[in-house]
Amino acid sequence: MNKQIQQLTKSFANVDLDQIAQNIVNRLFSILLTIVIFFIILWAGKLIINYAFSHTKRFNMLGAHRMATFHTLTLNIYRYTCFFFLLYALLSLIGVPVGTLVASAGIFSIALGLGAQGFVSDMVNGFFILLEKQLDVGDVVVIGTIKGTVSGIGLRTTRVTSADGTLNYIPNRNITTVSNLSRSTWHASVDIPIGPNAPLDEIKKVIAAVNQKLVAQGKFGKHPAPKIVGPVTIPATASAMASLVYRVALTTTYDAEYQLTSDCLAAYLTALNNAHVSLD
């Protein structure tokens, strides 16, 4: 027992605490320096990518939404790559044999492969979403039960901002059915409440004149001019009685529907009031 105590005491006596402390300080300094360099590289890379997308005219051929999509995707790929090399560098500084772990087979490799299945599925599905142009940043979409505007498309997730401001992160592998409301024309209508004795011919004449002015102002863009439908009866519901309206049909996009119908209704009512046309 005394011999064992003496050997243990001799072992502790041979330990160079100053050298150990010096090694720990050197490792901590190397780790801190590596992290600082990483953030500098990450910041500089983002700056270069943002500058390239905002000042290179070649990207303008893709369109605003498509360019924003590739912009966010490029930033995501660059960020993931930087974090991978940071992790590799930190593990190497700590003394973990990263190369041996990656190259070795066995339970760890199997577990890593199983855990990466979801990530690979996200990447593959995200690649086909971009390839088939299902989504672009700025599109209004419905994915499952989530409806909102696409704010970002990454390697792993797609971000959709709902109308109330909620930011939804959807794994790409869960995106199976996409309803893109921004890719096709949207049919809307402007209903002007009228009475049974309203002068229909005068109303039609005033609205036709207003439509000509709005078309000349480019209010409808590349879409066709509004179509005057005429008097329409809106059936009664549980909360409202049946009503008579004078309807004008519009062709627009989903994101411009509310503003356009509001502007047209305001223009119609103003013109009808100025022309002293009674709606009763």
Side-chain angles (χ1 to χ4, degrees), residues 4 33 37 55 65 91 96 107 135 148 168 186 253 263:
Q4 293 178 351
L33 181 62
I37 293 175
H55 290 80
H65 287 183
L91 291 176
V96 176
I107 298 177
L135 301 173
N168 305 280
W186 196 262
T253 56
D263 293 343

Side-chain angles (χ1 to χ4, degrees), residues 121-122 125-126 128-129 132 134-135 141-146 158 170-180:
S121 179
D122 286 333
N125 202 31
F128 281 107
I129 288 174
E132 297 172 358
Q134 299 177 20
L135 301 173
V141 299
V142 178
I143 302 176
T145 60
I146 298 174
T158 295
I170 307 173
N172 289 334
R173 64 179 178 275
N174 293 340
I175 301 177
T176 55
T177 302
V178 179
S179 299
N180 196 324

Side-chain angles (χ1 to χ4, degrees), residues 15 45 55 70 77-78 88 119 170 217:
V15 173
H55 290 80
F70 280 106
I77 294 174
Y78 178 73
Y88 185 91
F119 180 75
I170 307 173
Q217 294 171 1

Side-chain angles (χ1 to χ4, degrees), residues 12-26:
F12 277 110
N14 294 331
V15 173
D16 191 349
L17 296 178
D18 292 336
Q19 184 64 32
I20 294 176
Q22 184 66 31
N23 290 335
I24 293 175
V25 171
N26 291 338

Side-chain angles (χ1 to χ4, degrees), residues 62-70 135-139 182-183 255:
L62 300 173
H65 287 183
R66 198 66 179 165
M67 183 175 69
T69 301
F70 280 106
L135 301 173
D136 277 327
V137 173
D139 287 351
S182 299
R183 294 294 176 84
D255 53 349

Side-chain angles (χ1 to χ4, degrees), residues 46 49-50 53 66-76:
K46 287 182 177 179
I49 292 173
N50 292 334
F53 274 91
R66 198 66 179 165
M67 183 175 69
T69 301
F70 280 106
H71 186 188
T72 56
L73 182 62
T74 304
L75 287 174
N76 283 329

Side-chain angles (χ1 to χ4, degrees), residues 192-208:
I192 304 172
I194 60 174
N197 298 320
L200 300 180
D201 292 337
E202 294 183 24
I203 294 175
K204 182 176 181 179
K205 187 183 299 183
V206 172
I207 292 178

